[in-house]
Amino acid sequence: MIEADDRPDFGPEQLDGLVDDLLALLGPRGVSTLDRALARASRDGSGMSPILSAQQPLGRPDAVCYPKTAQQVPAIVRAAVRRGVPITARGKGTGNYGQVVPRFGGLVMDMTSLAGIRDLTDTTITAEAGARMINLEQAAWDAGRQLWMYPSTAQSTLGGFLAGGSAGTGTIVHGRNHMGFVESVDVVYGHEDAELLHLEGAAAQPMVHTYGVAGIIVSATVRLEPLQDWRCVYASFGSHYEAFPAAMRAASIEPKPRLLSADGATIVDALPSDPALMLGRASVRGIVDAAALDETVAVLEAGGGRIEAVREGLAQTMRLSTLSYNHPTWWLQKAVPDTYFHMECQGDALVTRLREVEDVYDGGMLHLEVGHQTMFGMINGVYHDPEQVFAGVPALEALGVAVHSPHQSYVDLDADRVRALARSTDPKGLLNPGRWQR
């Protein structure tokens, strides 16, 4: 057995043999070694991190394969394990931390063709790993239901959101995606006799937010709830020092919001043009239940806000979701290239001690999300060097802010337990290796 942080011992002979195996299994269109395919499988959203950008290339596969059926996945894994070639499963590649870039090369398994929605009940929906979250939400709405949660990048795949994501629209009520969202998963382990295994309940949870190091998710069943009558509320404020406390107060209104985001004027000015986003003014944006609309409006107006728009419908909720979590940081970096970095933060001090939080970094600007039982956000600052970025962590923690770094691709949720599990589910260390922090 090797440690998963070590590079697997493979070379051209093993790679050529694996490509031959995959051609026999998938046909000539099911596997590629073309430069454009390898380049595409080497990219993700890690360009948002100047620290990770300086480390490019983070990795590049030697081959990419495209399974069309769930049963092809264990056959691909068996072939790769026999050859000793590492395997990295990938969805849309929208992750921000380099977690789907194959650190040591080998095989990338593109799961996006496995996009079927298999079953929908009053309480669950079952779909393949490559199904897009926006399609799952549409199917749920058509049946009078809604997903417990979905990511801000609604075009993400189910497998990608479960393996590499964390939170999103719906998190205020239900927490993060490892907190009861997943009913079951069908997975493949890194074994020479790999098969499709069905895991339910507590047994399925180690597959969530673990980047595929303990098993490759092929399909999953996730939670639904009755569809609520949603309204998208846009309010503008003279200052984010008014907007953020107003958002915090609105978070306690019942029924609770599905999403609640806020930004200062500089970030708002970088967002896509919209009549409801007023240039030069701070913004609070929320997906709120129609039954809570009047109270929400009253709270925002009492806090100094001006209601700019109230919209409804699936397309509008999706649009508002794409202006949450990491997306405002992405738009800020697009508007002002090669300037900013961000750190993920959590705690009510993001509002109650906002000025002190922003003063930790040069040019500090906070994007605020209402999280599950606490505030959540991204502190953006002018980038100088890695030492400056990490030197701010103790200062933030002293203010009562928990910090997560988006400048690394290690497993960071209960890592010791997941690593112990991976020693049995991936004894040769071939599933997305290089994800353990020494």
Side-chain angles (χ1 to χ4, degrees), residues 181-220:
F181 180 48
V182 179
E183 290 272 313
S184 67
V185 293
D186 292 328
V187 300
V188 176
Y189 294 153
H191 294 163
E192 291 190 11
D193 58 351
E195 297 292 346
L196 201 59
L197 303 175
H198 183 72
L199 306 177
E200 295 185 354
Q205 301 314 304
M207 300 299 121
V208 181
H209 196 66
T210 54
Y211 305 164
V213 300
I216 295 171
I217 297 173
V218 179
S219 63

Side-chain angles (χ1 to χ4, degrees), residues 99-331:
Q99 63 264 44
V100 294
V101 177
R103 182 174 176 185
F104 302 127
L107 177 68
V108 161
M109 182 159 41
D110 186 317
M111 305 291 282
T112 54
S113 293
L114 296 176
I117 298 176
R118 294 178 174 173
D119 188 38
L120 189 152
T121 71
D122 284 348
T123 59
T124 63
I125 187 168
T126 301
E128 293 178 317
R132 298 187 184 190
M133 298 302 296
I134 190 172
N135 293 338
L136 299 187
E137 179 73 347
Q138 178 71 71
W141 276 51
D142 290 345
R145 296 292 186 267
Q146 64 192 29
L147 290 170
W148 262 32
M149 66 184 65
Y150 60 84
S152 55
T153 307
Q155 294 288 349
S156 297
T157 61
L158 175 61
F161 180 48
L162 297 185
S166 178
T169 301
T171 285
I172 294 173
V173 174
H174 296 299
R176 302 194 179 195
N177 66 356
H178 68 279
M179 299 170 66
F181 180 48
V182 179
E183 290 272 313
S184 67
V185 293
D186 292 328
V187 300
V188 176
Y189 294 153
H191 294 163
E192 291 190 11
D193 58 351
E195 297 292 346
L196 201 59
L197 303 175
H198 183 72
L199 306 177
E200 295 185 354
Q205 301 314 304
M207 300 299 121
V208 181
H209 196 66
T210 54
Y211 305 164
V213 300
I216 295 171
I217 297 173
V218 179
S219 63
T221 299
V222 295
R223 296 285 294 275
L224 300 178
E225 59 190 354
L227 179 62
Q228 292 170 254
D229 188 10
W230 295 116
R231 297 293 184 271
C232 299
V233 179
Y234 293 75
S236 70
F237 291 76
S239 166
H240 66 297
Y241 297 114
E242 295 177 325
F244 286 16
M248 190 175 187
R249 288 190 291 271
S252 62
I253 298 172
E254 296 287 348
K256 288 191 179 298
R258 203 174 191 205
L259 184 76
L260 206 53
S261 311
D263 288 293
T266 301
I267 294 179
V268 171
D269 290 353
L271 297 177
S273 178
D274 187 308
L277 298 173
M278 306 303 293
L279 295 178
R281 289 176 63 83
S283 169
V284 173
R285 308 174 296 279
I287 303 176
V288 304
D289 193 293
L293 179 61
D294 290 346
E295 187 177 356
T296 300
V297 167
V299 166
L300 295 177
E301 290 181 336
R306 185 175 74 203
I307 304 303
E308 303 293 350
V310 178
R311 300 166 177 168
E312 59 184 289
L314 176 62
Q316 293 296 335
T317 65
M318 285 289 175
R319 175 176 172 79
L320 198 150
S321 294
T322 63
L323 300 178
S324 66
Y325 287 87
N326 278 331
H327 287 252
T329 291
W330 186 88
W331 285 106

Side-chain angles (χ1 to χ4, degrees), residues 8 38 43 68-69 74 81 99 115 219 232 242 296 300 303 318 341 350 359 377 396 406-408 422:
L38 304 183
R43 295 192 296 266
K68 302 292 185 184
T69 70
V81 172
Q99 63 264 44
S219 63
C232 299
E242 295 177 325
T296 300
L300 295 177
M318 285 289 175
F341 72 96
L350 295 176
D359 284 344
L396 290 168
H407 309 292
Q408 50 81 24

Side-chain angles (χ1 to χ4, degrees), residues 383-409:
Y383 181 69
H384 299 291
D385 52 53
E387 291 73 25
Q388 163 236 6
V389 172
F390 297 116
V393 173
L396 290 168
E397 292 175 340
L399 294 171
V401 175
V403 182
H404 173 262
S405 171
H407 309 292
Q408 50 81 24
S409 59

